[in-house]
Amino acid sequence: MKLRYQYALWLSALIVAAVLGTSLCVDLAERRFLQHVATQRDHTTLNALAHITKDALLANDDLLLIDYAQLLKQNHPDMAYVAITSPEGVVLAHSDPQWVGQPAAAHRVPADVFTRQTTLSLGGQPAATVSFGIWQAVRQRDITQVATQARGWIWGIGFGILSVTLLAAYWLARSITSPIQRLEQAAQAIGEGHLDHRITLRRQDELGRLAQAFNGMAHRLGELNRLKDEFVQAVTHELRSPLGAISSFIHLMQAEAQRPTETLVTTWLGYLQRMQANTERLTRFINDVLDVAKLEEQKVLCRLVPCELTPVMTEMAELFQPQATERQLTLTVKETPHGVSALADPDHLRHILTNLLSNALKFTPSGGTITLGTEEASPSSESPEHSKDPEWIRVCVEDTGMGVPREAQGAIFDRFHQVPGSRAQVKGPKGTGLGLTIAKALVELQGGRIWVDSAPGQGSRFTFTLRSQAVSTCPSATPPNAVRPQESHVS
């Protein structure tokens, strides 16, 4: 059975039980109230009879008493008799005139009649006894008739309320289960691969927030699926291009081996150099993928030592200078005060700068400039915890390239993420979107932070922080006493 019907049935059962219970309680209370009203009416009638009797005795008018007793019985169908007796036990007046003057003891009251009576006094002496009898069966019949009529009204009103509440229960059940059913359908659509499916639910309650969370999840799944597709394309390109080149050179060497010439060795050396370059390209790509996996599993060691930044930045600039010259770019290192040192892992620092400089070279057009340097800490909305702390040094890699849109800056350090449209503007290897991910992980491994300040067409400025250390000289890339993990390509 569907949840909607289960909820409606349970709610309806509770409402029916509440209406029935209320009706029974009202019926019982009404019977008690009618019995109380009848008792109060008897006392009122008895007091009125006593008052009339007193007036008649004072006026010595026995006929008034007889007439009133007969009239009282006629007006009250449930009365069995009305009697006024003297202190000597003689009937002074009776609703049945034949009993007048007879001894009161001779008047036998039937068993199903209950009596109401009171004693009347004049001058401090008993003057008469006033009484009347009520037929119990008639009294209960009258009460039952009134209660039955009232019960009909109660049940009618109860049925109306029940009908309205049942409709309201069904509507409430539908309003709750319909969004759940839509969520179920949306989940099925997502499971079938329709990642663009969304739920439109204009509610401000928990179900509305659940729908918003579901839409956010679907959006994230769509982003992950898009990143996966882009990664597969990038991996396919990064693997197929060098493998295809290596295969082509092998086929050329096989074909040329059948007709050797004097320049064959020289030609083959060129082929081997290109094959080696493609092999190194494949190795770098595989290492990047392995590095990300090891960093996420926290299997990369970090040995922080005092390291002067100027020699490291100069070394990295010299390493990338040939590529900058080939691309007609200007690569400079800002002058840094002597002795500016940081507490860092030298190999990780070189890896970070390698990825940032490679990224700058890739996205900076010919004639552009790439600047590498450090700066003093200053207020920054991107890294407020390191903004004014003198214990931190900021290292910057700035270029005059294509820039990064503001809406894409939040995800630029995610795995496999590349700015939409950026691959089409890159000549040569496109990359796989892992360089910045690795750089961010290595910076955070050393306790720092990394962020980007950029705008389309105005270049990019990547900044990361390292803890300050006033010590000179940077150790070699692999210090003799450094312990490096064997399972990781991130040294």
Side-chain angles (χ1 to χ4, degrees), residues 410-448:
I412 197 172
F413 294 100
D414 293 346
R415 288 180 302 168
F416 314 127
H417 181 83
Q418 293 185 340
V419 178
S422 62
R423 293 176 62 85
Q425 303 183 38
V426 176
K427 297 180 180 179
K430 308 296 183 181
T432 57
L434 295 176
L436 292 179
T437 302
I438 295 174
K440 180 176 183 291
L442 291 177
V443 170
E444 293 179 349
L445 188 64
Q446 299 175 82

Side-chain angles (χ1 to χ4, degrees), residues 321 323-325 327-333 361 364-372 398-400:
Q321 188 59 53
Q323 298 182 42
T325 302
R327 296 170 180 262
Q328 300 180 1
L329 300 175
T330 301
L331 177 57
T332 60
V333 178
L361 287 169
T364 303
S366 299
T369 301
I370 300 173
T371 304
L372 181 63
E398 186 174 2
D399 62 60
T400 58

Side-chain angles (χ1 to χ4, degrees), residues 59-272:
N60 197 20
D61 190 353
D62 294 340
L63 184 60
L64 174 63
L65 287 178
I66 296 173
D67 292 341
Y68 187 76
Q70 292 178 348
L71 181 63
L72 194 62
K73 184 177 182 302
Q74 291 175 4
N75 291 336
H76 295 79
D78 57 346
M79 280 189 178
Y81 70 92
V82 178
I84 298 96
T85 60
S86 66
E88 293 79 13
V90 178
V91 176
L92 300 177
H94 200 283
S95 55
D96 186 356
Q98 66 179 354
W99 285 99
V100 177
Q102 300 294 326
H107 185 264
R108 301 296 180 183
V109 179
D112 60 343
V113 174
F114 62 88
T115 302
R116 305 289 189 187
Q117 69 177 17
T118 184
T119 300
L120 179 63
S121 298
L122 290 176
Q125 298 296 324
T129 299
V130 179
S131 65
F132 60 82
I134 300 295
W135 295 104
Q136 295 185 21
V138 177
R139 172 63 59 84
Q140 292 301 321
R141 183 195 64 191
D142 293 342
I143 291 176
T144 301
Q145 288 179 350
V146 176
T148 301
Q149 184 179 9
R151 188 185 303 117
W153 283 99
I154 293 173
W155 282 103
I157 296 173
F159 180 77
I161 295 175
L162 181 62
S163 300
V164 173
T165 52
L166 287 177
L167 292 175
Y170 180 78
W171 176 84
L172 180 61
R174 182 181 178 85
S175 67
I176 293 176
T177 57
S178 292
I180 297 177
Q181 185 177 13
R182 293 171 62 183
L183 283 169
E184 178 188 6
Q185 295 172 352
Q188 292 177 352
I190 294 295
E192 293 172 358
H194 304 291
L195 300 180
D196 57 343
H197 190 87
R198 298 291 184 271
I199 301 175
T200 303
L201 195 61
R202 295 181 178 88
R203 298 177 63 135
Q204 303 299 324
D205 54 8
E206 290 82 354
L207 290 174
R209 291 192 292 272
L210 178 60
Q212 293 177 1
F214 183 90
N215 288 337
M217 178 198 69
H219 176 74
R220 182 58 179 167
L221 287 175
E223 287 294 313
L224 291 176
N225 187 64
R226 181 182 63 81
L227 293 177
K228 180 202 68 176
D229 293 340
E230 292 181 357
F231 173 69
V232 170
Q233 294 176 1
V235 168
T236 302
H237 179 270
E238 292 294 326
L239 292 178
R240 184 170 54 189
S241 297
L243 288 176
I246 293 173
S247 178
S248 299
F249 288 129
I250 291 175
H251 288 312
L252 284 175
M253 294 176 68
Q254 290 175 343
E256 293 176 357
Q258 297 178 4
R259 51 179 189 281
T261 62
E262 294 180 357
T263 60
L264 184 60
V265 174
T266 304
T267 303
W268 279 13
L269 286 175
Y271 291 165
L272 290 173

Side-chain angles (χ1 to χ4, degrees), residues 7-72:
Y7 187 82
L9 285 177
W10 277 105
L11 191 57
S12 300
L14 291 175
I15 294 173
V16 169
V19 171
L20 288 176
T22 303
S23 299
L24 292 175
C25 292
V26 170
D27 184 67
L28 180 61
E30 183 185 24
R31 281 184 170 275
R32 292 181 177 179
F33 175 75
L34 291 175
Q35 190 69 42
H36 176 72
V37 169
T39 302
Q40 292 295 324
R41 187 187 63 182
D42 291 344
H43 287 296
T44 301
T45 302
L46 186 63
N47 291 333
L49 179 59
H51 182 72
I52 294 296
T53 301
K54 181 178 180 180
D55 291 344
L57 290 176
L58 291 174
N60 197 20
D61 190 353
D62 294 340
L63 184 60
L64 174 63
L65 287 178
I66 296 173
D67 292 341
Y68 187 76
Q70 292 178 348
L71 181 63
L72 194 62

Side-chain angles (χ1 to χ4, degrees), residues 339-351:
V340 175
S341 302
L343 195 62
D345 186 304
D347 292 337
H348 292 346
L349 177 58
R350 290 180 174 88
H351 200 160

Side-chain angles (χ1 to χ4, degrees), residues 307-314 332-342 371-376 393-396 468-469:
C307 179
E308 189 175 355
L309 297 178
T310 301
V312 178
M313 292 189 296
T314 302
T332 60
V333 178
K334 281 186 178 180
E335 293 186 3
T336 304
H338 180 71
V340 175
S341 302
T371 304
L372 181 63
T374 61
E375 62 181 20
E376 296 180 356
I393 298 176
R394 297 167 64 171
V395 182
C396 305
S468 176
Q469 179 68 33

